[in-house]
Amino acid sequence: MTMELRHLRAFLAIAEEGTITRAATRLHIGQPALSRTLRQLESHLGVRLIDRSTHHLELTAAGRTFRDRATAALAAVDAALDPRTLTALPLRLGHPWAALGDHTVPLLRRWDQEHPDVPLELRRIDDRTAGLTQGRVDVALLRGDITDPGLATQLLLEEDRVAVVPADSDLADRPSLTLADLATWPIALNTVAGTTTLDLWPAATRPRTTIEVTNTDEWLTAIAVGRAVGISTSATPRLHRHPMIAYRPLTDAPPVPLLLAWHRGTPTHPAIPDLVRLTRDLLAGH
């Protein structure tokens, strides 16, 4: 049978709500009709998307993969049908934190000057790919190693790492710090979009305690109140100033690559090559 958008919306509602009952209520349809729609989708794809063996439904491995594709497909449809985009389709630039550092404003200003008919929308999305694999943005500024084979990348520069410590701590009195200096403190780790892991330290001297957070705001708060220290890149101090946080050079940690990433193959927006060129030109010599 022919698949329709309702099949995708039904699947995503079930995946997000965790039960047929709540998903049906959300979609304003009966539970039998929703279950039938899910079976039709699974039959068409020839795979089981949702494990129904427990009271709380769980996505299968195929279901998790299809969730990203369904989300991206619906996002593309919603964008295509949005009347506001008919005159000027915005180029959506995602980032999970720090964007392009202190080059962010110059980039946006130069884009407005050179491409006044194409709005460039900067979107912070707390996700490993800043919403790129979900179709929420067209291109993303990402840090660290990107291994997704479906993404093309352009290395822009490498950023030095910095130690991020409470401003009233003894660590803040030092002009620079090492990994060993931080190892006696709990380490704040952004498990969603951060670039810091305990692998930075030698196995014998790794910190014993970590505090896991899911976004930059939680990360900054944990450090500001003195519960932890953190590691970031040189872009962070310029965009996230805080009276209770001190940034110090970290002398023995490798730099972090900053990349521009987009979907491999046919670009989702015709202006992506222009953004790549403009970003490279802006950063030339830095």
Side-chain angles (χ1 to χ4, degrees):
M1 65 173 293
T2 302
M3 290 293 100
E4 302 173 1
L5 291 179
R6 64 183 178 88
H7 291 89
L8 302 185
R9 298 190 191 281
F11 166 72
L12 289 177
I14 297 171
E16 293 169 5
E17 297 294 340
T19 70
I20 295 288
T21 301
R22 290 200 297 266
T25 300
R26 170 175 157 180
L27 296 174
H28 305 292
I29 62 175
Q31 295 181 40
L34 182 57
S35 296
R36 187 164 54 252
T37 300
L38 175 60
R39 289 195 300 271
Q40 291 170 347
L41 177 60
E42 290 179 325
S43 176
H44 176 80
L45 295 173
V47 294
R48 178 63 64 89
L49 298 174
I50 294 180
D51 183 358
R52 304 168 179 77
S53 61
T54 61
H55 178 70
H56 183 83
L57 304 182
E58 299 287 345
L59 294 181
T60 64
R64 291 191 293 272
T65 299
F66 186 71
R67 176 183 55 193
D68 290 344
R69 295 180 181 179
T71 302
L74 285 179
V77 171
D78 290 341
L81 297 179
D82 186 346
R84 295 171 299 177
T85 66
L86 293 178
T87 54
L89 183 67
L91 177 58
R92 303 165 298 170
L93 174 60
H95 71 101
W97 50 274
L100 201 58
D102 56 359
H103 302 291
T104 303
V105 171
L107 173 66
L108 296 176
R109 287 180 173 174
R110 280 193 56 178
W111 181 268
D112 289 347
Q113 293 170 0
E114 298 186 20
H115 303 275
D117 297 330
V118 182
L120 179 59
E121 297 181 354
L122 185 66
R123 301 184 180 184
R124 174 183 155 186
I125 300 176
D126 293 308
D127 173 74
R128 178 64 60 186
T129 64
L132 184 59
T133 56
Q134 289 81 37
R136 299 171 64 186
V137 298
D138 304 295
V139 61
L141 288 161
L142 305 176
R143 289 172 172 84
D145 296 326
I146 306 300
T147 58
D148 190 322
L151 299 181
T153 61
Q154 170 68 55
L155 176 64
L156 300 176
L157 51 82
E158 290 189 328
E159 296 175 335
D160 293 331
R161 277 188 165 96
V162 297
V164 190
V165 302
D168 56 357
S169 68
D170 292 341
L171 295 177
D173 295 333
R174 307 181 192 181
S176 62
L177 295 167
T178 66
L179 290 169
D181 294 328
L182 305 181
T184 59
W185 280 71
I187 306 298
L189 300 178
N190 183 337
T191 58
V192 174
T195 58
T196 301
T197 70
L198 294 184
D199 290 337
L200 278 176
W201 285 265
T205 59
R206 286 175 185 167
R208 296 182 178 180
T209 307
T210 62
I211 295 178
E212 295 187 354
V213 299
T214 59
N215 58 60
T216 301
D217 296 329
E218 293 175 2
W219 181 81
L220 290 168
T221 299
I223 298 170
V225 300
R227 296 175 182 170
V229 297
I231 297 175
S232 189
T233 79
S234 54
T236 301
R238 296 155 186 160
L239 291 187
H240 296 288
R241 296 182 177 90
H242 194 293
M244 293 305 297
I245 285 178
Y247 297 95
R248 296 291 181 265
L250 191 60
T251 59
D252 58 347
V256 177
L258 173 61
L259 306 149
L260 201 59
W262 60 95
H263 289 282
R264 191 178 299 279
T266 304
T268 59
H269 194 290
I272 289 177
D274 294 327
L275 180 64
V276 175
R277 176 194 55 77
L278 180 59
T279 306
R280 292 180 62 184
D281 290 348
L282 181 67
L283 296 178
H286 291 277

